């Protein structure tokens, strides 16, 4: 490399001899990236806050299923507030300015919240399966306290997994392959661990969720068919039909949440698993783009609830009109 080319390279730490080079981007591109990602972060944080506040504020929404949804929203909100802003600077600038310890904490939290999202979606699918396929036992055995225990266990498993991967040194074999420079923050998983995590954390729960939702849809179709044959123009018939319609729509909405999760996370998960076998040849920009596409799942969840879940639509409207517009004050929701 000539001296002129060396002088034109911007470094993360110009005074450090082993500094990583900054990303070479036009100023207008950086501004556009910061604006787009900042909007995504704001939508993620405030959208999930709206779900958290809605479930906390309205007693009608405090069901076992919605408590899991609320915990999922907490996970997405924390990802948007504690992980995504720092990832934004790293992605745009190509540098990590906060040191090695914060880098490890950031990477750990990233893994924790991503793992927690998948485990929460697994909980939701199991909850919906039991509620629809065996409603009598569900009402007797599944309470808010029971669900809270499972939620706490999910968070504990996520924290143990996230911090153990980064701080235990089990990925040290892969880190040796990293191009060493000062100002980088990347965690590389070795072949064995990457493949094991992909199967245990993604494939197995994903297969379980997909199987459960197939069963749920079949059961819902059977219920709808029976009700359509037996329904009569009576109050009971209308209520049964309305209840079945709500249950069917709720199942579809939760399945949509799961489908969006797989759409967002599958490309990144495959890349992260295959990359060690290819000696980490995936370009940094591609890896970052896939990572942000995965983060986008946390932005989508509150949008899905807002557009497809009637109870959340009413809750959102009530909260916005009450606390932002100051029109009325209500702690109750009415559903048709």
């Amino acid at each position: 490399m000539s001296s002129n080319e060396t002088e034109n390279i911007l470094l993360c730490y110009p005074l450090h001899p082993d500094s990583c080079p900054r990303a070479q981007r036009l100023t207008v591109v950086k501004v556009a990236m910061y604006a787009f990602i900042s909007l995504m972060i704001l939508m993620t944080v405030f959208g999930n806050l709206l779900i958290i506040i809605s479930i906390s504020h309205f007693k009608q929404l405090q069901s076992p299923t919605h408590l899991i949804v609320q915990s999922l929203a907490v996970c997405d909100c924390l990802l948007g507030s504690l992980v995504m802003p720092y990832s934004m600077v790293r992605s745009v600038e190509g540098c990590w300015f906060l040191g090695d310890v914060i880098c490890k904490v950031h990477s750990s939290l990233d893994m924790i919240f991503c793992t927690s999202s998948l485990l929460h979606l697994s909980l939701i699918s199991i909850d919906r399966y039991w509620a629809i396929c065996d409603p009598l036992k569900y009402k007797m055995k599944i309470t808010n306290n029971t669900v809270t225990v499972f939620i706490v266990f999910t968070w504990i498993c996520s924290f143990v997994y996230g911090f153990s991967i980064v701080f235990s040194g089990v990925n040290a074999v892969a880190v040796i392959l990293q191009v060493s420079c000062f100002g980088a923050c990347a965690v590389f998983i070795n072949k064995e661990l990457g493949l094991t995590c992909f199967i245990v954390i993604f494939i197995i729960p994903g297969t379980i969720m997909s199987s459960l939702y197939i069963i749920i849809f079949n059961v819902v179709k059977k219920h709808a068919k029976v009700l359509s044959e037996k329904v009569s123009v009576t109050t009971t018939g209308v209520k049964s039909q309305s209840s079945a319609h709500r249950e069917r729509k709720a199942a579809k909405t939760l399945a949509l949440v799961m489908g969006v999760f797989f759409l967002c996370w599958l490309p990144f998960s495959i890349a992260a698993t295959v990359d060690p076998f290819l000696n980490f040849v995936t370009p940094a920009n591609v890896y970052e783009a896939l990572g942000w596409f995965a983060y986008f799942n946390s932005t989508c969840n509150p949008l899905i609830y807002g557009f497809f879940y009637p109870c959340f639509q009413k809750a959102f409207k009530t909260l916005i009109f009450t606390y932002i517009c100051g029109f009325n004050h209500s702690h109750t929701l009415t559903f048709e």
Side-chain angles (χ1 to χ4, degrees):
M1 184 180 294
S2 66
S3 59
N4 289 334
E5 290 176 331
T6 304
E7 291 175 359
N8 289 333
I9 295 177
L10 297 176
L11 301 176
C12 298
Y13 293 88
L15 300 180
H16 198 284
D18 296 323
S19 174
C20 296
R22 279 179 179 259
Q24 302 296 312
R25 293 190 177 93
L26 297 174
T27 302
V28 65
V29 174
K30 285 188 176 183
V31 171
M33 290 179 68
Y34 273 123
F36 177 78
I37 297 176
S38 296
L39 178 61
M40 178 176 162
I41 292 173
L42 289 174
M43 290 175 63
T44 302
V45 173
F46 289 106
N48 284 289
L49 272 178
L50 204 52
I51 290 178
I52 297 168
I53 295 171
S54 296
I55 297 174
S56 301
H57 187 78
F58 299 107
K59 291 185 178 180
Q60 295 95 321
L61 296 180
Q62 293 172 9
S63 65
T65 303
H66 288 158
L67 288 181
I68 305 175
V69 171
Q70 184 182 41
S71 185
L72 175 62
V74 170
C75 173
D76 290 337
C77 187
L78 290 174
L79 181 70
S81 57
L82 299 181
V83 175
M84 290 169 67
Y86 305 102
S87 296
M88 173 179 65
V89 176
R90 182 186 61 190
S91 297
V92 177
E93 301 294 342
C95 300
W96 182 261
F97 299 108
L98 300 176
D100 184 59
V101 175
I102 302 300
C103 171
K104 288 183 177 181
V105 173
H106 175 269
S107 300
S108 297
L109 292 177
D110 197 343
M111 290 186 180
I112 287 168
F113 298 141
C114 294
T115 303
S116 182
S117 289
L118 181 55
L119 294 179
H120 276 86
L121 287 169
S122 300
L123 274 181
I124 291 173
S125 66
I126 295 170
D127 173 86
R128 287 296 82 200
Y129 168 78
W130 205 352
I132 293 175
C133 298
D134 199 349
L136 293 179
K137 285 186 179 180
Y138 178 83
K139 290 181 179 179
M140 290 170 51
K141 295 184 178 181
I142 302 301
T143 64
N144 288 353
N145 290 334
T146 306
V147 166
T148 301
V149 172
F150 282 103
I151 290 173
V152 171
F153 179 74
T154 295
W155 278 104
I156 291 174
C157 290
S158 301
F159 270 92
V160 170
Y161 169 75
F163 280 114
S164 63
I165 290 294
V166 177
F167 284 93
S168 65
V170 294
N171 59 333
V173 176
V175 173
I176 296 174
L177 300 176
Q178 179 184 6
V179 177
S180 179
C181 62
F182 191 75
C185 178
V187 175
F188 291 87
I189 304 298
N190 57 39
K191 298 176 182 178
E192 295 79 9
L193 182 61
L195 190 59
T196 302
C197 290
F198 181 68
I199 294 173
V200 174
I201 301 297
F202 200 90
I203 293 296
I204 294 177
T207 303
I208 293 172
M209 283 188 284
S210 301
S211 302
L212 289 179
Y213 274 114
I214 290 172
I215 296 173
I216 288 172
F217 279 123
N218 288 332
V219 171
V220 167
K221 283 182 179 180
K222 289 180 181 179
H223 288 174
K225 186 177 180 180
V226 170
L227 284 173
S228 64
E229 292 174 353
K230 293 184 176 181
V231 70
S232 59
V233 188
T234 63
T235 305
T236 305
V238 172
K239 285 184 178 179
S240 298
Q241 193 177 39
S242 177
S243 177
H245 175 72
R246 286 199 303 269
E247 198 68 50
R248 185 165 59 250
K249 191 168 184 177
K252 288 181 179 179
T253 303
L254 293 172
L256 179 61
V257 172
M258 187 194 72
V260 170
F261 177 87
F262 278 109
L263 180 65
C264 291
W265 276 102
L266 191 59
F268 177 80
S269 299
I270 292 175
T273 305
V274 173
D275 203 34
F277 293 92
L278 302 177
N279 201 25
F280 303 99
V281 298
T282 305
N285 288 336
V286 173
Y287 210 77
E288 290 284 351
L290 292 176
W292 279 103
F293 192 61
Y295 286 156
F296 187 63
N297 173 76
S298 297
T299 310
C300 289
N301 283 341
L303 296 176
I304 293 171
Y305 292 124
F307 282 108
F308 296 99
Y309 229 144
C311 60
F312 280 105
Q313 288 178 7
K314 293 182 179 181
F316 292 172
K317 289 177 182 177
T318 302
L319 288 175
I320 291 171
F321 285 135
T322 299
Y323 294 105
I324 297 179
C325 302
F327 288 159
N328 62 349
H329 182 77
S330 176
H331 289 268
T332 60
L333 289 174
T334 56
F335 301 107
E336 297 178 0

